[in-house]
Amino acid sequence: MSGIANIKVVRDEGGMRLDRWFKSHYPDLGFGRLQKLLRTGQVRLDGKRAESSTRVIEGQIVRIPPLGVQVQAVDKKNAKPVSRKLIDNDREAIEQMMLFEDKEVMVLNKPAGLAVQGGSGLTRHLDGMLDAFTDRSGNKPRLVHRLDRETSGIILVAKTRRAAQELTKAFRHRNTRKIYWAMLAGVPKPKQGRISTFLARNEAEERMKVVKHGADEGQHAVSHYNVVEQSGQKLAWVAMKPVTGRTHQLRAHAAHLKHPIIGDSKYFNVDNWELPGGIQNKLHLLARRIIIPHPSGQGEIDVSAPLPPHMQQTWNLLGMDVKDYDPDINEPE
């Protein structure tokens, strides 16, 4: 598109987060670029500034500046984005990731390296693969949160709009527990702790940085951690619990402790440190477990993901066994 466009939010899109609305219309627009457009006021909702988490309302007008990316074709009769041509094995691949499924929810075990949503240069991502589960009415399962591309583990998918609203509400009100496992360089002291910082995006390096309270665009970020087991003073298996949900939060917080996650190409900050032989130089971060109220209002979802192959290799090399993990003792509070 070459000029400014004004697009009306249609009925089926009411209640969507603005960033997800953009993802459905402009799948090639990166999240970081969208954030910048919002911060600078180039994207507006009914003429007013908005945030990525703002929920759009039917009939609102979204102002779109020139983006230089292809717009998703839309079926004007049904006002729905037209799905891309499905890759033959998308459905099978997602079924292999499935840890839990019922009428309202899917819980997937995302492999490291698979992007959750589209971006520049990406042809395959989880959101696009979910097109394979679109029903005859055009309803497609919806992502309700994200994981970094190189992070593996639990990701929640809503199969209905109502389930998406309820699960999103649970995340927004922090009525959920997410436990991550990481392998850190060195051993944090104390072995249990709370990390509280303000994080802001460093656009030039596409990463987050710790900033002072009150700094422009700084967002409060809180995480808890607990050392589960260590290998001398070289490595530590750590359970981490993000209280807030900022971009790259656990990766930035581990680096802030001066004990970054091994294999982290963006945040590893220890000089003259070498990976022990036999350990792969991949991000050792797993979204291990999620506990969240079921969107039906009955009971809760409590699902755990296994270690991905590169982390399992490291655990084996260090003689660590996930069976020795005691959630009552080792999960951070």
Side-chain angles (χ1 to χ4, degrees):
M1 63 188 284
S2 58
I4 293 172
N6 291 287
I7 300 179
K8 182 181 287 189
V9 176
V10 298
R11 181 178 179 181
D12 188 61
E13 297 170 336
M16 290 178 72
R17 284 171 54 115
L18 184 57
D19 54 359
R20 296 198 177 103
W21 183 92
F22 264 89
K23 190 54 63 178
S24 69
H25 287 264
Y26 303 94
D28 293 332
L29 181 66
F31 181 71
R33 177 141 183 252
L34 172 60
Q35 291 289 85
K36 187 173 183 179
L37 292 170
L38 288 166
R39 282 198 304 274
T40 55
Q42 296 181 68
V43 167
R44 290 181 177 257
L45 197 57
D46 278 351
K48 298 178 181 178
R49 288 177 178 261
E51 298 181 352
S52 59
S53 59
T54 300
R55 295 191 177 276
V56 299
I57 300 170
E58 179 187 356
Q60 285 185 312
I61 301 296
V62 185
R63 178 193 185 274
I64 315 290
L67 299 176
V69 297
Q70 186 174 0
V71 62
Q72 181 85 318
V74 172
D75 176 346
K76 293 184 179 179
K77 180 179 179 181
N78 297 309
K80 295 179 185 294
V82 177
S83 296
R84 66 181 178 84
K85 185 178 180 180
L86 295 177
I87 297 174
D88 291 341
N89 64 349
D90 277 358
R91 188 179 186 95
E92 180 183 355
I94 286 180
E95 287 173 346
Q96 290 177 351
M97 298 179 207
M98 201 84 71
L99 297 172
F100 171 85
E101 182 183 21
D102 63 17
K103 292 181 179 179
E104 296 188 74
V105 180
M106 288 191 278
V107 183
L108 306 180
N109 178 22
K110 186 191 81 68
L114 176 64
V116 170
Q117 292 182 305
S120 178
L122 286 176
T123 57
R124 197 169 193 231
H125 50 84
L126 185 57
D127 192 35
M129 293 167 71
L130 287 169
D131 287 346
F133 288 81
T134 302
D135 64 23
R136 292 181 179 179
S137 300
N139 297 311
K140 170 188 163 182
R142 299 166 172 85
L143 297 162
V144 293
H145 65 121
R146 293 185 182 89
L147 285 180
D148 297 341
R149 182 175 181 177
E150 299 308 323
T151 301
S152 58
I154 298 284
I155 193 155
L156 214 55
V157 178
K159 297 173 72 174
T160 66
R161 181 172 294 281
R162 179 188 162 280
Q165 291 171 342
E166 292 300 316
L167 292 169
T168 300
K169 189 187 301 179
F171 278 108
R172 190 164 60 244
H173 295 299
R174 300 177 187 170
N175 190 19
T176 180
R177 292 183 66 197
K178 292 186 289 182
I179 307 299
Y180 288 70
W181 284 359
M183 187 65 72
L184 305 190
V187 182
K189 293 181 181 179
K191 291 186 177 181
Q192 279 187 326
R194 177 179 182 269
I195 311 164
S196 174
T197 69
F198 286 81
L199 296 175
R201 183 178 291 274
N202 182 333
E203 294 288 353
E205 299 181 12
E206 296 184 345
R207 64 196 294 273
M208 304 302 287
K209 59 183 178 182
V210 174
V211 296
K212 293 182 179 180
H213 183 197
D216 187 34
E217 300 175 11
Q219 292 183 305
H220 193 208
V222 178
S223 306
H224 297 275
Y225 72 90
N226 186 35
V227 175
V228 179
E229 193 171 345
Q230 63 189 82
S231 178
Q233 295 300 313
K234 183 77 172 178
L235 296 165
W237 165 13
V238 176
M240 304 185 78
K241 175 187 175 184
V243 178
T244 52
R246 311 306 180 199
T247 301
H248 296 178
Q249 178 173 314
L250 297 181
R251 298 165 65 182
H253 273 175
H256 180 66
L257 289 178
K258 303 302 181 186
H259 296 286
I261 301 170
I262 64 173
D264 192 338
S265 60
K266 284 186 181 291
Y267 293 91
F268 201 90
N269 57 0
V270 182
D271 294 332
N272 301 317
W273 196 93
E274 293 185 4
L275 274 173
I279 293 179
Q280 296 183 53
N281 190 24
K282 294 182 179 180
L283 183 67
H284 280 54
L285 180 62
L286 167 70
R288 165 64 177 179
R289 184 182 182 191
I290 193 165
I291 306 169
I292 190 170
H294 195 281
S296 66
Q298 302 295 315
E300 63 183 19
I301 299 166
D302 185 349
V303 182
S304 296
L307 291 171
H310 70 281
M311 290 179 68
Q312 185 63 67
Q313 180 181 336
T314 299
W315 262 242
N316 292 344
L317 184 71
L318 301 176
M320 297 178 177
D321 191 342
V322 297
K323 295 177 183 177
D324 295 336
Y325 184 90
D326 185 341
D328 293 333
I329 295 173
N330 294 127
E331 288 192 354
E333 295 295 340

